[in-house]
Amino acid sequence: MASEETETSEFLKDKKVPEQQEDTSDTTCGFWRFKGPTLQRFASDNMYMVIYGIAGCFLSIAFSYFNGTLTTLEKRYKIPTKITGVISVGNDISTVFSSAFLAYYAGRGHRPRWIGFGLVILAVFCLLMLSPQLIYGPGEDALKLTREYGESIVHTLNGTKRDEALCQKDKPSCLEDHAPSDFMPIMIFFLAQFVCGVGCSLFYTLGLSYMDDNSKKSKSPAMISWSAFLRMLGPAFGYSLASVCLRLYIDPFKEPLISKEDPRWIGAWWLGWILLSVILLISAFFVGLFPKEMPRARARRLKAATSTGTGTEVESPLAERSFKDMVQVMKRLSVNKVYIYKTIGSNLYLFGYIPYWIFTPKYIEIQFRQSAAMANMATGTVALGFSAAGILISGYVVSKFKPSARAMAAWNCVVDYLTVAGIICYILIGCEPSDRMNSLATLSAGDSCSLSCHCDYVHFAPVCSPANETFISACHAGCSEKLTDDQGRTTYTGCKCISSSLSPNLTLPDENQFASDGVCPVDCYDQFLIYLAVMCLLKFVGATGRSTDLLLVLRCVPAEDKTIALGIGGMLFSVLSFIPSPIVFGWILDSYCLVWGKTCSTKGNCWLYDTSSLRYTMNLVSATLILVGSFWHIAVWYYAKDIKIFDDEQLTDKPREGQLMELKSKPSKNDKN
């Protein structure tokens, strides 16, 4: 009996030893003057999960806000989609050079402070995105559509005023826009994205590994799912913020002469970057307060070292880590079949699905004739709400039922095939009136009547005929006069090209040769709702595979290789998917452009697309890539049979009293002898 009491007291003593380590420098919260017992109470894995998830939410807001304002940036700075694709991969290019290096070396230091530094870098990214507006202002094209500046620029020739938006007998000279250099805004945006990649490398690779190292393995699925859920709220807020900002004109202090539904509308894309830079700086401060190692995690580590007889484990300092060690880690990863096959399959999936992350608002605008504000609101609220639900449900299922690695890999295969089926449905969801309108507008541009009006350098300013035909501009409709009523509505008369577009041999009375300002009304709302329903289903299904996907990567490698595995994975994703995919699909979008915003030095941005051909090509390419990736995920399922996601003792999760009784019943060495 005395022996049992002694053994129990020794067990309790061992349980208390690690708790006494909480006041070491590695387990102390805060820095400089921001430290003390009050902050130390928050040094827990649950609190880190919340703060890290909220910071990830702010980061996701910035990414989705950029995607939501992409079409507006194209209009404002006359950028083709393939160039915006290059801009958007700037962060992935920097990730290639920084991800593995930072994950390996910064991962040996104070990870929360490195993560906070990454968030500071992301705040700099937001300020760089804002700078073109501060340097160049709203632009002449946007200002001339305000009441303060007038609808169009009127030039004087030989003492008479002429409006170059109307049909002209003489071929006009090319007038250079008073716009910034073609490449300067592009270079600034690319630099901003490049800086962003460094911050993201620090945030994601270090943040996830820190969470996994400082929590029990049984809690990891739930914590990863909850942090991912908080991050998934970011796109909802980001697209909503973009929707709110784009409802305001680019210069909010001036009165626009066009409506928000007009394709020439340029919203206040720059407003959101001010708010985002501030909240990222605040989140950097709070993340940086966490200790190098959580007190409870340190207690578990010391107890495990004591129970195995290895003594207290001490992390090697950074100076003792060599490049040779990193090479050895990479060799181990290169022969890890699950890791390699998972990386290949995920790369193919991402390559095919990335355009739906970046170009979904643009796709909705051009396919279903919705405004930029409506497209962003639909993408950010309804659709991403289903993503958040998918992450929460999958996290609950994994934590509750603790499926095997093979079961997780099998579900990832199911997600692939459901995604392919949904993308095939996208091909069938089109808007025939929108397709017809674009083809008619293109025919009007090449009509012999409009060619005689010399409309080469006329800006895109659509007008609608009585026959519900959209012309690129009043010049392309052959209009000679412009009338404005008391309510500010503009009507063009003398439009000789309207009759020729209906029938070459038909001549309409003069009173029918008129056009109203703006695009002809097209009703694609029902098709838009069907598309939105399918998109919500795909978001939900895809989100259910995120936590299982990450758990497979974290568990298929040794514990000491987790950080570098995530870093190398991020680098490979950037090289093979995040960089080429936006460029390739941006090129596909541009290849189906029907009307370019032609200027003296460049063809500028695209105003009208061949929506039918674009819908088939874009979705078929995406579906094919994801289908090929599913075969590699089948290989992951085959080789995942030996991976242990949960430890045996964590499957039972016994209470402390049970552990004491189990210890009492174990025979001692003296009993064996």
Side-chain angles (χ1 to χ4, degrees):
M1 186 69 180
S3 175
E4 289 182 357
E5 291 177 355
T6 303
E7 192 170 2
T8 302
S9 64
E10 289 296 328
F11 174 80
L12 294 175
K13 182 179 179 181
D14 290 340
K15 294 289 288 182
K16 292 179 181 179
V17 168
E19 299 295 333
Q20 295 171 355
Q21 306 295 325
E22 292 184 2
D23 57 352
T24 64
S25 59
D26 287 348
T27 58
T28 301
C29 266
F31 54 85
W32 193 43
R33 298 181 183 275
F34 303 98
K35 60 175 61 175
T38 303
L39 284 178
Q40 196 63 25
R41 292 184 302 172
F42 299 103
S44 67
D45 51 0
N46 289 331
M47 182 56 64
Y48 172 78
M49 180 267 294
V50 173
I51 299 298
Y52 179 74
I54 292 175
C57 174
F58 294 151
L59 177 55
S60 299
I61 290 175
F63 276 120
S64 55
Y65 184 81
F66 171 77
N67 294 336
T69 57
L70 206 56
T71 55
T72 302
L73 292 177
E74 291 178 1
K75 295 176 187 178
R76 167 62 186 92
Y77 297 103
K78 301 179 176 61
I79 305 174
T81 304
K82 61 184 177 184
I83 300 300
T84 57
V86 174
I87 292 172
S88 64
V89 303
N91 64 86
D92 301 297
I93 293 175
S94 61
T95 298
V96 171
F97 297 105
S98 64
S99 182
F101 177 82
L102 291 175
Y104 187 77
Y105 288 103
R108 308 298 177 180
H110 198 298
R111 282 181 286 183
R113 292 179 187 173
W114 277 107
I115 298 168
F117 179 66
L119 290 169
V120 173
I121 294 176
L122 291 167
V124 175
F125 148 71
C126 295
L127 294 176
L128 285 172
M129 288 297 301
L130 172 66
S131 59
Q133 172 68 19
L134 303 178
I135 297 172
Y136 302 113
E140 185 179 278
D141 289 346
L143 290 176
K144 71 181 183 181
L145 295 175
T146 61
R147 190 171 300 279
E148 290 80 358
Y149 282 76
E151 288 187 78
S152 60
I153 299 176
V154 178
H155 301 278
T156 303
L157 182 65
N158 297 328
T160 61
K161 291 185 177 180
R162 51 180 279 182
D163 190 339
E164 294 197 351
L166 300 176
C167 182
Q168 302 297 330
K169 294 181 180 180
D170 301 325
K171 187 174 183 179
S173 60
C174 177
L175 297 173
E176 288 285 354
D177 296 333
H178 301 291
S181 171
D182 293 334
F183 292 103
M184 280 308 297
I186 295 175
M187 294 302 297
I188 293 174
F189 291 139
F190 182 83
L191 176 62
Q193 290 290 328
F194 191 88
V195 168
C196 174
V198 179
C200 289
S201 297
L202 290 168
F203 183 82
Y204 285 115
T205 57
L206 300 182
L208 290 173
S209 63
Y210 181 83
M211 180 187 298
D212 194 56
D213 289 342
N214 288 275
S215 60
K216 294 181 179 179
K217 286 188 177 181
S218 59
K219 293 178 62 178
S220 291
M223 297 188 69
I224 291 173
S225 296
W226 274 105
S227 63
F229 167 74
L230 292 173
R231 288 201 305 273
M232 283 305 303
L233 297 178
F237 288 114
Y239 283 114
S240 300
L241 178 62
S243 177
V244 172
C245 292
L246 294 180
R247 291 178 189 273
L248 303 173
Y249 201 58
I250 188 170
D251 189 338
F253 302 102
K254 293 181 174 57
E255 181 183 355
L257 293 168
I258 57 176
S259 66
K260 300 179 184 64
E261 288 72 27
D262 194 298
R264 294 168 293 171
W265 177 274
I266 300 179
W269 62 271
W270 52 274
L271 275 176
W273 295 117
I274 301 174
L275 174 64
L276 289 171
S277 61
V278 174
I279 62 176
L280 284 171
L281 286 174
I282 296 174
S283 61
F285 172 78
F286 284 104
V287 172
L289 291 175
F290 283 96
K292 184 177 181 180
E293 185 178 21
M294 293 293 182
R296 291 182 181 177
R298 181 179 177 85
R300 288 191 297 270
R301 181 169 61 84
L302 295 180
K303 182 192 171 199
T306 303
S307 62
T308 57
T310 59
T312 302
E313 294 182 355
V314 180
E315 289 184 314
S316 300
L318 181 60
E320 296 181 7
R321 302 292 174 177
S322 65
F323 180 75
K324 184 179 179 180
D325 297 329
M326 186 174 179
V327 172
Q328 292 299 320
V329 174
M330 296 179 70
K331 285 182 178 180
R332 287 197 296 271
L333 294 177
S334 65
V335 296
N336 189 323
K337 292 183 178 180
V338 174
Y339 180 79
I340 294 298
Y341 295 158
K342 190 80 197 74
T343 301
I344 296 174
S346 297
N347 267 295
L348 288 166
Y349 181 93
L350 288 172
F351 199 110
Y353 206 79
I354 280 174
Y356 300 105
W357 292 342
I358 298 178
F359 299 123
T360 291
K362 183 182 182 74
Y363 186 90
I364 293 174
E365 288 182 51
I366 63 180
Q367 288 287 342
F368 306 107
R369 298 297 160 190
Q370 301 298 311
S371 66
M374 175 61 76
N376 280 285
M377 185 61 70
T379 305
T381 54
V382 181
L384 289 173
F386 280 81
S387 295
I391 288 176
L392 281 182
I393 292 174
S394 64
Y396 171 78
V397 171
V398 171
S399 299
K400 176 75 173 177
F401 299 101
K402 296 180 172 57
S404 65
R406 265 199 159 180
M408 293 183 180
W411 175 247
N412 288 342
C413 294
V414 173
V415 169
D416 287 345
Y417 293 120
L418 290 176
T419 302
V420 171
I423 292 176
I424 296 300
C425 291
Y426 284 167
I427 300 176
L428 306 177
I429 307 172
C431 183
E432 193 273 336
S434 176
D435 298 341
R436 187 174 64 251
M437 186 197 78
N438 286 350
S439 61
L440 290 173
T442 309
L443 290 174
S444 71
D447 188 76
S448 58
C449 171
S450 62
L451 291 176
S452 63
C453 289
H454 307 292
C455 306
D456 289 346
Y457 296 104
V458 174
H459 292 288
F460 180 75
V463 295
C464 183
S465 72
N468 207 40
E469 288 181 308
T470 296
F471 289 80
I472 296 173
S473 70
C475 178
H476 291 85
C479 304
S480 57
E481 299 292 336
K482 179 176 67 177
L483 302 175
T484 304
D485 60 17
D486 296 337
Q487 298 180 353
R489 293 176 298 189
T490 301
T491 303
Y492 298 92
T493 59
C495 305
K496 59 183 180 180
C497 298
I498 290 180
S499 59
S500 64
S501 67
L502 292 171
S503 174
N505 300 320
L506 178 64
T507 302
L508 291 179
D510 292 341
E511 60 268 18
N512 290 332
Q513 292 183 323
F514 70 91
S516 57
D517 195 23
V519 178
C520 295
V522 175
D523 186 10
C524 297
Y525 193 70
D526 291 340
Q527 293 88 338
F528 167 61
L529 292 180
I530 297 173
Y531 173 85
L532 188 60
V534 176
M535 182 172 65
C536 290
L537 179 62
L538 282 187
K539 293 283 187 182
F540 175 82
V541 171
T544 58
R546 291 198 179 185
S547 59
T548 57
D549 196 70
L550 183 58
L551 279 171
L552 284 171
V553 175
L554 291 173
R555 297 292 184 263
C556 74
V557 297
E560 64 272 16
D561 295 346
K562 278 189 296 188
T563 302
I564 190 64
L566 291 174
I568 292 177
M571 181 182 67
L572 292 174
F573 288 147
S574 296
V575 173
L576 301 176
S577 298
F578 291 123
I579 292 176
S581 180
I583 297 175
V584 169
F585 282 94
W587 175 82
I588 290 175
L589 283 162
D590 282 348
S591 64
Y592 289 102
C593 181
L594 299 176
V595 177
W596 288 98
K598 188 176 180 181
T599 64
C600 298
S601 56
T602 181
K603 61 182 179 182
N605 62 294
C606 182
W607 289 103
L608 287 177
Y609 292 88
D610 181 355
T611 52
S612 178
S613 300
L614 174 61
R615 185 169 63 252
Y616 276 87
T617 303
M618 178 177 172
N619 292 311
L620 279 176
V621 172
S622 295
T624 302
L625 288 167
I626 296 173
L627 182 63
V628 174
S630 68
F631 298 133
W632 292 95
H633 284 156
I634 293 175
V636 172
W637 169 84
Y638 179 79
Y639 287 104
K641 55 182 179 293
D642 296 327
I643 296 177
K644 183 182 292 185
I645 302 294
F646 304 96
D647 290 340
D648 294 336
E649 62 271 15
Q650 290 166 344
L651 293 174
T652 57
D653 206 11
K654 296 179 180 179
R656 177 172 297 183
E657 292 78 8
Q659 293 173 351
L660 287 174
M661 293 300 294
E662 183 180 357
L663 180 61
K664 291 180 181 181
S665 63
K666 286 182 179 179
S668 63
K669 292 182 180 180
N670 296 329
D671 293 333
K672 289 182 180 179
N673 295 332

